[in-house]
Amino acid sequence: MIRNYFKIAFRNITKSKVYSFINVFGLAVGMAVAMLIGLWINDEMSANKHHANYTTLYQVKMHQTFDGRRGTQDAIPFPMGEELKTKYPDFEGVAMCDWGSTRSLVVGNQKFLKFGHFFGEEGINMFSLKVLNGDKDPLKEPYSIALTEETAKSLFGEKDPIGKIVRVDNTIDLKVTAVIAKQPKNASLQYDYLLPWKLQEKIYDWIPKFHKTNWGNNSWQAFVQLKKGVDPEQTNARIRNVVLDHFKDNVLMQKSIKPEVFIHPMEKWRLYSDFTEGKNTGGFIRYVRLFGIFGIFVLVIACINFMNLSTARSEKRAKEVGVRKAVGSARRQLISQFLSESVLIAFMSLVLAFLLVAISLPYFNQLTEKQMSLQLDNPVFWIIILGFTLFTGLLAGSYPALYLSSFNPVKILKGTFRVGKNAALPRKILVVVQFTFSIVLMIGTIIIYQQIQHAKNRPIGFASKGLVSVESSSDLIRNFDALQNELVSSGMVSSVCKSNSPPTQIWSNNNGWEWKGSTPEDKSAIFNTIATNYDYVKTIGVKLKEGRDFSREFATDSVGVLLNEAAVKRMGLKHPVGEIVKWNGRDRRVVGVVSNVMMESPYRNISPLTIVFEKDWVSFICVRINPSVSSTEAINRIKPIFEKYNPGFPFDYKFADVEYAAKFNYEELIGNLAAIISILAIFISCLGLFGLASFMAEQRKKEIGVRKVLGASITNLWGLLSKDFIKLIVISCVIASPIAWYAMSEWLKDYTYKIDIGVGVFILVLIIAMIITLMTVSYQAIKAALANPVKSLKTE
């Protein structure tokens, strides 16, 4: 019986090739979109699950209150690891970690810049990092280094690297103790090499001098593994005051800042990383949910196509239903027949969907910066795909099966059966639902792009074009004066300066500032901090509003500070230049005020900024290229100068305008994904609309013939056939607009610098939707209007 169902279903599919193609292709596109989104969601949801201790790994975080706002941070003090390890029995393991840095790794003539971390010895087992070759405990010796397989091959080729020496940052030789596996791209911990945590104390004298017992400098990370059976909430209660207990006599810490330590589970690192006023409020999970809904939208739109075309052609199948019922077929058998037809179409669509996914997946990976693949060798993957396809077929075929199987056989066989106007109502509702989904996606996409453009057009406060940054090294710092003189003398560079952070980022923020009229509570206010010395304003291209830049002519500038406009406003200084402010008890004189510069998120308000004079706090060398010289020529000319004074490093540089543009990558990814999905949703909707218009034109061909004989023009007939669809699109826009407005208003709440949603977006989308609809149905409408009425009326 089942075989017979599918045989008849196949005959019906091949009999109506155009409608079958629309159904198969529309469902295939919908399924392909749903599969791609499913792969993306799976990649996000599976982040970090490759770690064996996934359920017991936690990151140490801390809530603190600054300037009346409760914030949450990953940065914790250096002594945290030792404290947790020795005083709290809750933990199986504790591993400290820095934020990672790019370092020069040199072996012979091989010289590479690679990213890695100082990492606690226990971290290897805690994170179940796979040791491919060498010591299973590779970070136990301080003067050692563990390399990923890719890094080892870059440095040593096919030779065994174990026991070999790598020179790091042209300052220290380290022995390779292990080759470890590189982490998947969706893992939180990423590295090309790992260095022992204890090595820091050997090579940086400021670690044991200033930070080993310093609980006030939050510049590191800590990870812990709970013992089995330990309740994390009870652990949080025990470690809550770890930091606060070290400031028992500090009124500001006790009464205002009130640090509270807690552990955050690995299962929430990727998707639940946002905190508001000390509460976990979600994170990237909102986008996972959003695109999951988008995928369902597109699939439902494709299923609606099938439903509409199947029910629209009901008169073509009416006699078949009548005969089957007359010879004894039960309704459930007819339902099975029609469902088998839709399931067959769904599986035919699956084959085409696989082809579409295979073609588009490389581009999709490039767009999302992932490494996803179809897991064809995974039985679970096939169970999900087959279940998904069966569900799609049953969903698409459910309404047509129930509708067609309900026909009265007596009326059908007597020839008195007519579908009637009421039969078209469900189709109209489905078209409205279909286009409502599509229009919501269109409005959302346009608003996302408006928000991105709004932020891009925001004044950034400095000249990013022609500004280059190079990570500093001990050689560059030692030879800075000679480097600066030679760069400027080359004619390729107009100015050079030092900085503790790149031009487009802030790497440090601090409290402890006091000013005239400030209160003890004001010391908790956070100010972004840039450390530099001379020529910063000139090199970065910041506009001076008052005063001057640091100058060699003034010895007092060694304790000087520049404020941005936001800092002046926060301090409430009416005449800031010349004022004395204090930072951690040390006097600093305000020598100038600069305009607000955009160095953090372009979607946030600009924070108060202090630019302090510090000769030795250096992480970057910033270079302003001579505007009369091309960037390519300048880079080629300054490269040998940097290599001369920094021989242990390959010359690596970054343009500030390129780095600033990268701040929009995240939103642009969301916008591009939304745009692609909305375009495909509109395409699928139009595909169904084209088929529906074709059927309606065929159904009304005698009416059109009569109207044409009576003098109706082509324009009249075109309007007659198009107006019903236009009405449905207008209704869809009316329904979609408040839904889209609410959804996008909620999305925009995450941004402090944002657009106001105007009525123009909704009018624009209405016009676009009407144009697309008219373009879709006009071919069939005009084709019907141009047909010879004699052919349609000759049998009357």
Side-chain angles (χ1 to χ4, degrees):
M1 182 64 74
I2 294 175
R3 180 184 175 188
N4 186 53
Y5 286 159
F6 281 104
K7 184 186 291 184
I8 294 170
F10 183 76
R11 287 174 181 171
N12 281 319
I13 290 169
T14 54
K15 184 179 179 181
S16 305
K17 293 182 176 61
V18 173
Y19 296 109
S20 297
F21 171 78
I22 292 173
N23 278 332
V24 171
F25 190 68
L27 269 180
V29 172
M31 292 170 74
V33 171
M35 287 167 67
L36 287 172
I37 292 175
L39 288 172
W40 181 78
I41 290 175
N42 178 66
D43 187 83
E44 293 293 339
M45 298 291 287
S46 63
N48 296 317
K49 286 187 177 179
H50 63 288
H51 294 296
N53 301 315
Y54 174 75
T55 57
T56 56
L57 276 174
Y58 294 78
Q59 182 171 17
V60 180
K61 289 178 175 276
M62 184 162 55
H63 302 308
Q64 295 193 95
T65 301
F66 294 107
D67 220 5
R69 292 187 294 271
R70 194 72 168 161
T72 303
Q73 61 191 58
D74 302 336
I76 51 89
F78 189 93
M80 179 70 77
E82 191 65 25
E83 183 96 349
L84 295 180
K85 189 184 299 184
T86 57
K87 295 186 179 180
Y88 295 90
D90 305 51
F91 306 115
E92 185 74 30
V94 178
M96 293 292 291
C97 184
D98 72 346
W99 297 98
S101 57
T102 301
R103 298 181 182 276
S104 169
L105 305 185
V106 179
V107 174
N109 295 324
Q110 300 297 321
K111 189 188 306 180
F112 296 96
L113 287 175
K114 296 292 183 179
F115 178 80
H117 298 272
F118 285 105
F119 198 47
E121 180 182 343
E122 294 180 63
I124 298 292
N125 290 326
M126 286 168 55
F127 282 80
S128 58
L129 302 184
K130 187 176 181 181
V131 178
L132 304 175
N133 185 15
D135 194 335
K136 298 300 180 182
D137 188 10
L139 303 180
K140 63 185 176 185
E141 299 296 332
Y143 294 96
S144 60
I145 184 171
L147 307 175
T148 63
E149 192 171 17
E150 293 83 351
T151 304
K153 284 185 177 179
S154 298
L155 293 169
F156 298 99
E158 297 302 321
K159 296 179 182 177
D160 185 0
I162 304 302
K164 302 290 195 309
I165 300 300
V166 176
R167 188 158 184 80
V168 178
D169 284 351
N170 203 31
T171 58
I172 188 168
D173 293 327
L174 301 178
K175 183 172 71 172
V176 179
T177 53
V179 175
I180 54 179
K182 193 175 180 69
Q183 292 287 282
K185 205 164 186 178
N186 64 350
S188 296
L189 180 67
Q190 296 290 333
Y191 53 81
D192 298 311
Y193 66 85
L194 291 175
L195 301 174
W197 179 254
K198 61 185 83 171
L199 176 63
Q200 292 179 96
E201 298 180 37
K202 305 288 185 183
I203 61 176
Y204 301 133
D205 60 354
W206 43 268
I207 293 285
K209 280 183 182 178
F210 303 113
H211 297 301
K212 197 164 185 181
T213 59
N214 183 353
W215 286 87
N217 187 326
N218 302 309
S219 301
W220 291 271
Q221 301 180 86
F223 301 100
V224 297
Q225 181 185 349
L226 283 185
K227 291 180 179 177
K228 289 184 179 180
V230 174
D231 183 354
E233 292 304 317
Q234 292 180 3
T235 299
N236 282 335
R238 281 189 282 271
I239 68 172
R240 178 176 181 169
N241 296 322
V242 168
V243 173
L244 193 61
D245 287 344
H246 290 271
F247 293 92
K248 289 181 178 179
D249 298 327
N250 189 310
V251 176
L252 182 66
M253 292 291 281
Q254 292 287 335
K255 299 295 184 182
S256 296
I257 297 176
K258 294 180 286 190
E260 178 186 339
V261 177
F262 70 101
I263 55 174
H264 190 56
M266 177 178 267
E267 60 190 21
K268 291 188 176 182
W269 291 0
R270 178 79 171 185
L271 302 177
Y272 298 89
S273 59
D274 290 354
F275 288 79
T276 304
E277 292 298 324
K279 303 294 182 184
N280 194 190
T281 54
F284 198 71
I285 187 64
R286 63 181 177 272
Y287 289 109
V288 171
R289 291 168 180 160
L290 178 66
F291 282 101
I293 293 170
F294 283 0
I296 293 171
F297 276 10
V298 174
L299 189 61
V300 169
I301 288 168
C303 290
I304 287 174
N305 275 354
F306 183 91
M307 294 177 186
N308 272 342
L309 290 177
S310 297
T311 54
R313 297 180 65 249
S314 57
E315 286 192 21
K316 299 280 186 181
R317 306 289 298 271
K319 288 184 179 178
E320 176 191 344
V321 172
V323 171
R324 285 180 173 277
K325 281 194 171 184
V327 297
S329 288
R331 188 180 181 189
R332 60 180 178 79
Q333 291 176 311
L334 290 171
I335 291 173
S336 299
Q337 168 62 51
F338 292 125
L339 285 177
S340 65
E341 192 170 313
S342 65
V343 169
L344 180 60
I345 288 177
F347 275 94
M348 292 171 68
S349 301
L350 175 64
V351 176
L352 184 56
F354 266 123
L355 180 62
L356 294 174
V357 170
I359 294 170
S360 59
L361 191 54
Y363 304 100
F364 190 64
N365 277 333
Q366 187 177 359
L367 175 67
T368 57
E369 297 182 352
K370 291 186 177 292
Q371 295 175 338
M372 299 175 289
S373 62
L374 288 171
Q375 302 170 12
L376 301 179
D377 57 344
N378 188 345
V380 177
F381 171 79
W382 283 107
I383 291 171
I384 293 171
I385 285 295
L386 294 176
F388 160 73
T389 306
L390 184 62
F391 170 77
T392 302
L394 294 175
L395 176 65
S398 57
Y399 174 62
L402 294 171
Y403 176 70
L404 293 171
S405 64
S406 67
F407 290 169
N408 188 325
V410 176
K411 289 183 178 180
I412 293 170
L413 298 178
K414 287 175 70 175
T416 59
F417 172 78
R418 293 291 181 269
V419 172
K421 290 185 178 180
N422 289 336
L425 182 61
R427 288 198 298 276
K428 290 179 179 179
I429 292 173
L430 289 173
V431 169
V432 168
V433 171
Q434 193 177 40
F435 270 88
T436 297
F437 286 164
S438 300
I439 290 168
V440 167
L441 292 173
M442 287 173 65
I443 293 171
T445 301
I446 292 173
I447 290 174
I448 289 171
Y449 275 101
Q450 285 182 333
Q451 171 66 6
I452 294 171
Q453 201 58 45
H454 180 64
K456 282 185 175 180
N457 293 336
R458 187 179 187 180
I460 64 173
F462 69 98
S464 61
K465 189 173 182 180
L467 179 59
V468 175
S469 63
V470 178
E471 284 200 51
S472 66
S473 67
S474 58
D475 288 337
L476 286 178
I477 295 170
R478 185 171 58 254
N479 298 309
F480 178 76
D481 291 339
L483 171 72
Q484 184 181 38
N485 291 334
E486 194 163 337
L487 286 172
V488 174
S489 299
S490 70
M492 299 293 106
V493 171
S494 57
S495 62
V496 183
C497 73
K498 302 175 186 176
S499 175
N500 69 326
S501 59
T504 59
Q505 295 179 43
I506 297 292
W507 279 18
S508 179
N509 52 61
N510 296 274
N511 64 329
W513 287 91
E514 299 173 78
W515 54 91
K516 186 171 66 177
S518 66
T519 65
E521 288 74 22
D522 285 328
K523 289 182 72 175
S524 72
I526 287 289
F527 289 80
N528 287 337
T529 306
I530 291 176
T532 184
N533 53 9
Y534 304 111
D535 298 325
Y536 183 82
V537 170
K538 180 181 178 181
T539 304
I540 304 300
V542 180
K543 185 178 179 181
L544 267 172
K545 306 293 287 188
E546 295 181 48
R548 57 177 174 77
D549 194 3
F550 300 125
S551 172
R552 295 173 178 84
E553 298 177 9
F554 299 90
T556 55
D557 280 4
S558 61
V559 288
V561 61
L562 295 165
L563 306 177
N564 75 342
E565 294 169 292
V568 172
K569 182 179 179 180
R570 175 64 187 85
M571 293 180 177
L573 303 176
K574 293 183 178 179
H575 305 288
V577 176
E579 288 278 1
I580 299 296
V581 296
K582 287 187 176 183
W583 183 27
N584 294 327
R586 182 186 179 191
D587 286 351
R588 286 188 177 268
R589 183 179 296 276
V590 179
V591 300
V593 176
V594 299
S595 60
N596 286 332
V597 289
M598 181 56 60
M599 292 183 173
E600 297 179 287
S601 169
Y603 303 102
R604 304 293 180 194
N605 290 332
I606 293 176
S607 302
L609 170 68
T610 56
I611 303 174
V612 297
F613 189 98
E614 292 284 348
K615 278 191 172 183
D616 300 323
W617 190 358
V618 185
S619 299
F620 285 86
I621 308 296
C622 300
V623 176
R624 169 65 60 184
I625 292 175
N626 190 328
S628 63
V629 179
S630 72
S631 297
T632 303
E633 182 185 359
I635 292 299
N636 289 335
R637 292 280 297 277
I638 68 175
K639 179 181 178 182
I641 299 174
F642 269 97
E643 290 176 337
K644 173 183 175 182
Y645 292 106
N646 201 28
F649 289 71
F651 179 56
D652 186 61
Y653 59 91
K654 292 177 180 175
F655 281 99
D657 53 351
V658 175
E659 292 298 294
Y660 185 79
K663 291 177 181 287
F664 300 94
N665 288 352
Y666 178 75
E667 277 73 19
E668 285 181 338
L669 168 62
I670 300 302
N672 289 336
L673 287 174
I676 292 169
I677 292 169
S678 61
I679 288 169
L680 291 173
I682 287 290
F683 170 75
I684 296 169
S685 298
C686 289
L687 201 63
L689 205 61
F690 180 84
L692 208 55
S694 174
F695 174 76
M696 290 183 70
E698 181 184 346
Q699 191 180 42
R700 299 177 70 178
K701 65 182 179 181
K702 290 183 180 179
E703 177 193 346
I704 293 168
V706 171
R707 287 180 180 274
K708 200 168 183 181
V709 168
L710 294 176
S713 66
I714 293 174
T715 305
N716 294 143
L717 295 171
W718 172 76
L720 175 72
L721 293 171
S722 301
K723 67 178 182 180
D724 288 341
F725 291 106
I726 293 297
K727 288 178 183 177
L728 298 178
I729 299 307
V730 171
I731 293 170
S732 297
C733 280
V734 170
I735 297 171
S737 294
I739 297 172
W741 177 85
Y742 174 78
M744 298 315 296
S745 295
E746 289 295 308
W747 178 71
L748 287 170
K749 283 182 179 179
D750 292 330
Y751 304 96
T752 51
Y753 186 79
K754 59 189 175 185
I755 61 169
D756 293 319
I757 301 175
V759 70
V761 176
F762 305 100
I763 294 173
L764 175 64
V765 170
L766 173 61
I767 293 170
I768 292 172
M770 290 176 69
I771 290 171
I772 291 172
T773 301
L774 288 174
M775 289 174 63
T776 303
V777 303
S778 287
Y779 172 76
Q780 294 295 347
I782 294 172
K783 179 182 176 183
L786 291 172
N788 189 342
V790 174
K791 292 183 179 179
S792 60
L793 299 175
K794 63 183 179 180
T795 57
E796 295 298 319

